[in-house]
Amino acid sequence: MDITRRRLLVLLPAAAVAWKYVLAGTPEASPNYQMTEHWWGMLIDIPKCIGCGSCARACAEENDVPEGYYRTWIERYHVEDWKIERPEVESPDGGKQGFPPHADDGGKNFFVPKLCNHCAESPCTQVCPVGATFVTPDGVVLVDKSYCLGCRYCVQACPYGCRFINPKTNTAEKCSLCYHRITKGLTTACCEVCPTGARQLADLKNPKDPIHEFLKTHTVQVLKPHMATGAKVFYNGMDGSVR
Amino acid sequence: MQIPVEGFMYPNEVELQWSILIVLYPFITGLVAGAFILASLERVFRVQAVKPTYRLALLTALAFLLVAPLPLQLHLGHPERSLEMYLTPHRSSAMAMFGFVYLWYLMGVLLLEIWLDYRREIVEFSQTASGWKRRIYRVLTLGSSNVSARSLRIDERLGYFITLVGIPSAFLLHGYVGFIFGSIKANPWWSSPLMPIVFVFSAMVSGISAVMLLYMLSTRLRGQQIDMRCLDTIARYLLYTFIIDFSLEMLDLLQRIYEADESFRSLDFMVHTRLWTSQVIIQILLGTVTPIVLLGVTQVLKFPDIARKRIYGLAGYLTMIGIFAMRWNVVIGGQLFSKSFLGYTTYKMAFATREGLLTAIALLILPFIILWVLVKLLPPWPESASLPSSGAAPAHGTS
């Protein structure tokens, strides 16, 4: 076959794309797991959280999260009387080591665990220039670190401050909802260790999941609902001061 | 390194993600778009007075455009993967699409226009020059040495058409940079539909100002007389564009102040503390109001040529500082406050690192080196050695 210059110009990029596909390989298989049968989220029961930090420690250990960065963290809110717009918030070392006692000067204190909201309309996925971050068919937002450019656009786009650049890989990182565990029938590391059951993994597509009964009987909210991101981390008993 | 934090930041927010290199990116891209718009004044809108700067503006645009992707490239965690943006772009991403806008502007507009405009000289040089220069010019002819009258007429018409397409392309190029920031709904400092428009006008301001300064400097270095009619016209256009730009920015500010949404208190505090010097003093007072007043005064009062030159020079330098400060305040300012609106972090600029000050300075010097090479290869100066101070410039295509 004669290859003309014009033909070569068409063939070369096509060959490059094909080669990338070969290099990408095939994903790790979980034979008994059907992605289309699940739609994952999480329930956080704020009144149950005692701020012990077990979840953040377990997450860091399970996912090899570098020191000073957080896939999940806990915030302590202190709201004085009616000053709902100006809460005092702290999260020393992401709450990993728990919290020192708070001086009792009136007002209320409570803990709010935070993690990626695995938004159905996630702004971080929208802005990724190469599609390295994506929503799986079972509703989990993941990052392909072998593909991420490290441009940090997704970090800017996340309204909840859930993303960071891992200094070891120089790629974006965030909560993966322990995808390696939940696809094998386990719960997430944070839910596993929570001593009060304040965090519960929820499969919104499974009609038998207790989340449905809970949502029916409780007043739940998502963080920053005005952002319209389709957040799937539901908070029970969340005060209006939480942001 | 401990980063000072005031109030509460989400723990992952403390470290700034976009550094001074990302400040350079809109600054440099803006210069490209602005310089091209100035060039188009002569070509499309027949503003003959600015003809002495036509080719210089095009070469300036090219020199800066070639450097524009470098800050982005250097800032990436994995620069070796950057081509993926072209090979497997994510179509919903503003950043991915910018790659194509950039490529279109470079290959479809700027290089083509410069080549068509210089084709006759390139062919001449390829026959008269010697040594390695001759080889370069021969490559630049792209195999075509036809400089017949008919062929030059086609060049002229095609060049006009490309400039016509180039104006919206230049708007697109920098408007798109504005969109990259303006479309981030998570960040109230950036999220504004006015952002692309403000970026376009500030780009025009910076580009016109840069070409004006380069024209003054290069004319002086060549020991030539500055064409005051040209300089006055550029300064006038700079003033008009600046007034529109400033009005748009103030409109945005007024809207924010009056609306006073949930982010306002936090942003207002930031402007009055962390951004006071860079935004209020440098960007607004020194870099915007002062040059507008200086340029405005020259429209109202009569000054001798030497005084006008100095005023324009001063206004031009202040403008460049002001526009750089504007880019700084957008990029860095947008990362200093917490998305919880409860705290502030600090930007610690490194010095001799990949994203440090030294790299930024090198990247700002590089376009001038490229411009110097371009000017040596493709001299942009008008052929007449001394220009009449108020005479009409020669018709296009005869120089």
Side-chain angles (χ1 to χ4, degrees):
Chain A
M1 184 177 67
D2 280 347
I3 293 192
T4 59
R5 252 189 298 184
R6 181 175 301 203
R7 204 176 167 78
L8 190 70
L9 283 174
V10 175
L11 282 175
L12 276 180
V17 173
W19 180 238
K20 287 298 298 178
Y21 185 78
V22 171
L23 284 185
T26 45
E28 189 187 340
S30 261
N32 300 321
Y33 182 76
Q34 293 296 324
M35 279 202 262
T36 51
E37 289 174 5
H38 306 274
W39 189 246
W40 296 108
M42 192 175 276
L43 176 68
I44 310 271
D45 202 345
I46 290 179
K48 280 188 179 173
C49 181
I50 56 172
C52 64
S54 304
C55 50
R57 289 195 298 277
C59 170
E61 198 162 322
E62 176 75 23
N63 298 295
D64 193 21
V65 181
E67 198 62 37
Y69 299 91
Y70 308 89
R71 284 185 175 208
T72 185
W73 69 96
I74 308 105
E75 295 165 5
R76 176 164 67 184
Y77 274 69
H78 174 74
V79 186
E80 261 181 62
D81 202 14
W82 53 271
K83 293 179 182 169
I84 194 167
E85 283 192 9
R86 303 301 291 169
E88 281 174 31
V89 188
E90 57 183 335
S91 183
D93 192 19
K96 265 202 280 191
Q97 310 308 325
F99 292 80
H102 194 283
D104 186 12
D105 54 357
K108 59 184 171 188
N109 294 315
F110 54 91
F111 299 101
V112 184
K114 295 272 185 83
L115 69 156
C116 168
N117 287 272
H118 295 280
C119 311
E121 309 291 337
S122 68
C124 54
T125 303
Q126 182 187 28
V127 301
C128 176
V130 293
T133 183
F134 55 97
V135 186
T136 61
D138 41 356
V140 180
V141 178
L142 295 178
V143 182
D144 182 348
K145 65 180 176 193
S146 69
Y147 209 52
C148 171
L149 306 180
C151 71
R152 304 163 187 232
Y153 203 17
C154 59
V155 184
Q156 305 287 7
C158 174
Y160 313 101
C162 295
R163 288 176 167 252
F164 57 90
I165 294 293
N166 185 323
K168 289 182 199 159
T169 59
N170 282 329
T171 54
E173 192 171 313
K174 58 176 272 299
C175 160
S176 63
L177 213 62
C178 285
Y179 201 66
H180 58 291
R181 291 172 59 95
I182 62 173
T183 51
K184 291 181 176 69
L186 301 168
T187 188
T188 62
C190 57
C191 292
E192 179 87 38
V193 299
C194 179
T196 61
R199 305 173 72 128
Q200 290 167 43
L201 180 68
D203 183 356
L204 301 163
K205 257 193 188 173
N206 178 2
K208 290 180 187 157
D209 195 301
I211 178 79
H212 300 292
E213 186 57 30
F214 194 93
L215 291 175
K216 255 188 253 173
T217 52
H218 292 75
T219 306
V220 294
Q221 182 57 286
V222 292
L223 290 171
K224 302 188 180 184
H226 59 280
M227 283 285 157
T229 58
K232 297 205 304 298
V233 173
F234 302 98
Y235 286 85
N236 178 47
M238 185 161 74
D239 191 77
S241 59
V242 176
R243 62 268 316 271
Chain B
M1 183 174 63
Q2 192 70 28
I3 300 172
V5 171
E6 189 182 344
F8 170 72
M9 302 287 292
Y10 294 134
N12 294 323
E13 279 183 322
V14 174
E15 185 186 335
L16 260 69
Q17 299 298 330
W18 286 352
S19 65
I20 188 171
L21 294 193
I22 306 298
V23 177
L24 286 188
Y25 156 64
F27 181 67
I28 291 176
T29 321
L31 292 174
V32 176
F36 185 85
I37 301 285
L38 180 62
S40 68
L41 276 181
E42 191 275 332
R43 193 81 190 250
V44 176
F45 301 107
R46 307 287 177 203
V47 183
Q48 288 295 317
V50 301
K51 183 165 176 56
T53 63
Y54 171 70
R55 286 180 155 187
L56 181 65
L58 283 183
L59 295 186
T60 306
L62 179 60
F64 279 93
L65 191 64
L66 290 173
V67 176
L70 289 184
L72 293 181
Q73 186 73 16
L74 281 167
H75 144 87
L76 289 180
H78 284 273
E80 78 283 3
R81 295 178 188 165
S82 60
L83 269 184
E84 297 294 350
M85 284 213 328
Y86 288 108
L87 293 175
T88 55
H90 188 217
R91 277 172 299 168
S92 70
S93 167
M95 196 181 275
M97 290 303 109
F98 179 80
F100 292 96
V101 173
Y102 172 83
L103 210 59
W104 156 253
Y105 193 73
L106 177 67
M107 308 298 286
V109 175
L110 206 49
L111 281 177
L112 211 52
E113 175 157 346
I114 291 173
W115 185 71
L116 285 169
D117 197 66
Y118 274 100
R119 212 173 65 79
R120 200 179 78 167
E121 281 101 320
I122 291 173
V123 172
E124 269 173 27
F125 291 151
S126 73
Q127 287 155 3
T128 53
S130 57
W132 59 271
K133 265 194 161 183
R134 186 190 178 96
R135 273 201 289 277
I136 290 176
Y137 287 123
R138 284 189 72 166
V139 170
L140 288 179
T141 61
L142 302 181
S144 164
S145 54
N146 182 357
V147 282
S148 64
R150 183 170 169 271
S151 145
L152 290 178
R153 255 201 321 277
I154 294 172
D155 285 357
E156 169 66 21
R157 258 182 292 175
L158 195 56
Y160 176 79
F161 175 72
I162 289 168
T163 318
L164 219 54
V165 176
I167 296 170
S169 300
F171 274 67
L172 180 68
L173 180 77
H174 207 63
Y176 210 96
V177 178
F179 182 71
I180 286 179
F181 291 97
S183 61
I184 298 293
K185 67 177 171 186
N187 190 320
W189 187 247
W190 293 341
S191 176
S192 162
L194 272 183
M195 199 63 124
I197 305 172
V198 169
F199 264 58
V200 164
F201 278 94
S202 60
M204 286 163 68
V205 169
S206 66
I208 293 172
S209 173
V211 175
M212 182 179 82
L213 291 174
L214 278 169
Y215 171 65
M216 290 170 79
L217 187 71
S218 60
T219 313
R220 196 189 170 111
L221 287 176
R222 291 184 307 125
Q224 301 288 331
Q225 280 276 316
I226 287 178
D227 179 349
M228 282 312 289
R229 183 167 159 262
C230 169
L231 201 60
D232 287 336
T233 312
I234 297 176
R236 207 165 54 244
Y237 278 103
L238 178 59
L239 175 65
Y240 298 157
T241 328
F242 222 154
I243 289 171
I244 299 174
D245 176 44
F246 189 48
S247 308
L248 285 168
E249 284 188 41
M250 287 304 106
L251 183 65
D252 188 53
L253 188 66
L254 281 175
Q255 175 87 4
R256 284 169 188 273
I257 293 172
Y258 194 77
E259 269 190 0
D261 67 9
E262 60 164 354
S263 64
F264 178 71
R265 193 155 42 178
S266 176
L267 300 183
D268 187 49
F269 183 78
M270 178 174 77
V271 170
H272 283 87
T273 51
R274 282 169 158 70
L275 290 188
W276 182 256
T277 310
S278 64
Q279 177 140 31
V280 179
I281 307 289
I282 300 179
Q283 181 191 328
I284 297 178
L285 291 179
L286 202 67
T288 306
V289 175
T290 311
I292 286 179
V293 169
L294 285 173
L295 293 168
V297 165
T298 61
Q299 300 298 309
V300 181
L301 303 174
K302 273 197 173 298
F303 290 100
D305 286 3
I306 183 77
R308 290 212 306 287
K309 275 187 224 168
R310 284 182 183 159
I311 292 173
Y312 294 155
L314 180 63
Y317 281 116
L318 290 176
T319 302
M320 299 309 291
I321 292 168
I323 297 291
F324 185 84
M326 183 257 187
R327 310 301 190 217
W328 174 278
N329 293 320
V330 168
V331 176
I332 303 297
Q335 302 173 83
L336 291 180
F337 65 94
S338 169
K339 286 171 188 161
S340 69
F341 307 131
L342 292 172
Y344 306 89
T345 186
T346 313
Y347 176 44
K348 292 260 185 194
M349 186 160 43
F351 182 66
T353 61
R354 192 168 62 145
E355 292 197 56
L357 181 63
L358 204 61
T359 313
I361 291 171
L363 284 174
L364 268 183
I365 294 171
L366 188 58
F368 293 99
I369 297 172
I370 295 176
L371 183 62
W372 182 79
V373 174
L374 286 174
V375 164
K376 287 284 164 199
L377 270 179
L378 307 167
W381 323 122
E383 276 194 336
S384 48
S386 59
L387 287 163
S389 61
S390 59
H396 178 74
T398 56
S399 56

